[in-house]
């Protein structure tokens, strides 16, 4: 049986250099995708290196009662992004890239709606812009990164109850956003047709 992430981090603290390399190997694709959806592929490659350096230097603070390091690593990535955005005067946090949202919706074949895809992406960007940053981050961590609500909260440093509240608020705001009712109806119609 393979050791869990917590055990590997412990081994790395005891001098086993390969142990942390295994943690990186396990999670580099997910963390890289998380970054790419927020800043684009080119910049994500640069920031990914910063994430691994920050994770390596702060691994002693990792709570080893959690066997999966992915939420912690998303938290490190989230903080790396925040430092990046703050280092650019006048630059605000960009919206998450929703160009792959249609690919992430389970069971929905986006080719049936390719003509309206640009409109859908625009509508989703506008709806996401209405959310507070914490709501948007919890929503995207749950929807795109497949974290539980509690793990998404842990990634951004909020208690599980607060994370559940942010997710609920985000869902309600999106449900009530202009044009979203039509999008959800169209999405369900397309799903039923397939």
């Amino acid at each position: 049986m393979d050791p869990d992430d917590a055990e590997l981090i412990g081994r790395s603290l005891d001098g086993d250099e390969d142990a942390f390399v295994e943690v990186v190997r396990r999670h580099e694709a997910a963390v890289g995708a998380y970054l790419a959806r927020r800043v684009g592929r080119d910049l994500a490659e640069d920031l990914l290196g910063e994430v691994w350096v920050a994770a390596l230097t702060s691994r002693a603070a990792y709570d080893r009662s959690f066997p999966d390091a992915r939420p912690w690593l998303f938290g490190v990535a989230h903080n790396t992004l925040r430092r990046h955005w703050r280092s650019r005067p006048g630059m605000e946090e960009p919206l998450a890239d929703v160009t792959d949202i249609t690919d992430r919706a389970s069971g929905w074949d986006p080719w049936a709606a390719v003509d309206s895809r640009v409109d859908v992406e625009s509508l989703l960007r506008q709806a996401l812009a209405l959310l507070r940053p914490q709501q948007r981050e919890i929503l995207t961590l749950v929807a795109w990164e497949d974290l539980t609500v509690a793990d998404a909260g842990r990634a951004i440093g909020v208690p599980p109850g607060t994370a559940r509240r942010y997710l609920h608020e985000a869902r309600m705001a999106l449900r009530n956003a202009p044009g979203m009712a039509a999008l959800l109806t169209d999405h369900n119609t397309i799903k039923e047709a397939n």
Side-chain angles (χ1 to χ4, degrees), residues 37 95-102 117 120-122 124-125 128 144:
R37 279 189 279 279
L95 291 178
D97 183 4
V98 296
T99 58
D100 67 348
I101 186 74
T102 55
R117 184 171 177 178
V120 169
E121 290 172 9
S122 174
L124 286 171
R125 284 185 190 279
L128 288 172
W144 292 341

Side-chain angles (χ1 to χ4, degrees), residues 17 20 23 34 36 39 43 50 61 81 83 92 95 100 107 120 140-142 154 165-166 171 185 192:
E17 295 173 11
F20 196 75
V23 173
Y34 169 84
V39 295
L43 185 53
E50 292 180 35
L81 286 168
R83 277 191 304 279
E92 294 182 21
L95 291 178
D100 67 348
V120 169
T140 58
L141 284 168
V142 170
R154 190 162 58 100
R165 180 174 48 90
Y166 287 158
R171 287 176 173 162
T185 301
E192 291 167 7

